[in-house]
Amino acid sequence: EPKMAPPPPLESVRSAAGQLAVRWRGAAFRPSASLLWVDAEFDPAVGFVRRRGVAQANATIQYQHRTSTYGLEAVDLYLRGTQELEQDLSGSLGRNVNAELALGWVAGGYLYLRADWDEKVVREAFEVAGREVPAGVYRGPRVFAGFSRPDTVNPAFSIDYFGEGSYFGGVQQTVSGTFSAYASRFFRFALSGAGSFVRLPNEEPFVAATGAASFTVAPTTTLQMDGVFQINNVAGSLVTLARLRWRYVPGSDLFVVYREQRPYGGGTVERERRLTVKLTYRYDALL
């Protein structure tokens, strides 16, 4: 009988990640600090990590003032700092310091204003929307501002502005917004969009824009239909998604999902149509 070759030896890779955090919640002052370390070989079995081979230190001081003036609920002031280093602490990978003022109203409104000083260390060149960003150290100011009303009120909306003077040696300005409302107890719709003006060194400025519209129709507690339409001018794609969910018996569902992707405006994405049907049935043997 032919002999089978022995299986190759299993490779053993030792890696680790960990975090240490401490917080103190007082009536007004709420400081916190954390230390994060992620090995360069770390491979999570579940989830993901933003960056490997890094040691990160974070510190935050929050001051909260409770008041009812002008319908306010609270005024919060945040001071934050972050430092990222190589995992052996040999060199900086970036740092950030920022201050934020946040106002919260009893009726549900929320306003925030934030200013940053940010530094990024790019080790290898990469592309942004087909434009090359060389390796280097990029530092400069960033500002954020926004106002929102939560989903617990009708209608709900948010609008945000972001400006960065440290965008890889260039400038980025972004405006985004969302709007959602219940037209009736059976019908809800939502709109969202974002537009960014980007100027990189030695490159022509460009505008990146995305938009989405969605709806949900629920005529009964067991039947629901929803749909999403998305547009992206950078990828040059239009995506349509429609879904029907029917709970025909408790714990058992029928799903019918249609997805279509097609190019527009010179986009290179492939045209795709897909119909998916999924049926689940729950059986309790002990009941």
Side-chain angles (χ1 to χ4, degrees):
E1 296 182 1
K3 294 183 179 181
M4 299 182 63
L10 296 177
E11 294 185 4
S12 177
V13 178
R14 299 183 63 181
S15 62
Q19 183 178 33
L20 175 66
V22 59
R23 299 185 180 119
W24 186 72
R25 187 178 180 88
F29 285 96
R30 300 171 182 180
S32 64
S34 66
L35 296 173
L36 173 69
W37 187 85
V38 182
D39 187 81
E41 303 297 329
F42 181 67
D43 185 16
V46 178
F48 65 94
V49 292
R50 186 181 68 87
R51 193 170 191 174
R52 295 178 175 87
V54 62
Q56 185 184 92
N58 299 277
T60 300
I61 299 177
Q62 176 190 1
Y63 172 76
Q64 183 175 84
H65 174 62
R66 292 278 182 175
T67 179
S68 58
T69 305
Y70 303 116
L72 288 167
E73 182 179 27
V75 177
D76 291 278
L77 177 64
Y78 299 88
L79 298 175
R80 305 183 185 93
T82 299
Q83 172 69 66
E84 286 191 351
L85 301 169
E86 299 276 7
Q87 68 179 61
D88 59 0
L89 310 182
S90 61
S92 175
L93 295 175
R95 56 176 62 94
N96 178 280
V97 292
N98 66 75
E100 178 179 339
L101 174 67
L103 307 177
W105 279 266
V106 176
Y110 182 81
L111 171 70
Y112 73 93
L113 303 169
R114 174 176 159 180
D116 288 30
W117 186 89
D118 187 69
E119 178 182 282
K120 303 181 184 71
V121 179
V122 178
R123 297 297 176 87
E124 296 182 2
F126 66 100
E127 289 189 351
V128 174
R131 295 152 175 88
E132 182 176 288
V133 174
V137 179
Y138 301 95
R139 59 175 65 94
R142 304 191 304 183
V143 293
F144 302 79
F147 181 79
S148 64
R149 294 184 67 194
D151 291 338
T152 54
V153 298
N154 189 40
F157 66 88
S158 68
I159 183 168
D160 298 273
Y161 169 79
F162 167 57
E164 182 174 8
S166 58
Y167 190 71
F168 306 114
V171 175
Q172 177 189 17
Q173 297 189 73
T174 300
V175 177
S176 61
T178 64
F179 179 86
S180 63
Y182 286 90
S184 72
R185 60 177 180 168
F186 306 116
F187 181 75
R188 180 181 183 272
F189 70 94
L191 303 171
S192 64
S196 297
F197 171 82
V198 180
R199 186 177 68 243
L200 294 172
N202 305 318
E203 297 281 356
E204 288 293 325
F206 65 95
V207 175
T210 60
S214 64
F215 71 90
T216 301
V217 181
T220 70
T221 57
T222 59
L223 183 64
Q224 178 177 310
M225 295 169 286
D226 48 32
V228 178
F229 176 79
Q230 298 176 330
I231 183 172
N232 185 319
N233 80 319
V234 175
S237 66
L238 298 171
V239 177
T240 302
L241 182 68
R243 183 185 70 164
L244 171 69
R245 177 184 178 183
W246 175 37
R247 176 153 288 188
Y248 56 94
V249 294
S252 305
D253 300 281
L254 170 66
F255 293 91
V256 180
V257 180
Y258 173 76
R259 183 182 187 276
E260 179 180 349
Q261 175 182 273
R262 58 185 183 274
Y264 92 98
T268 59
V269 298
E270 295 184 1
R271 189 179 182 93
E272 177 187 9
R273 290 179 179 174
R274 182 184 303 172
L275 181 67
T276 304
V277 179
K278 178 182 178 182
L279 181 69
T280 65
Y281 178 74
R282 177 176 176 178
Y283 175 71
D284 295 312
L286 301 179
L287 296 181

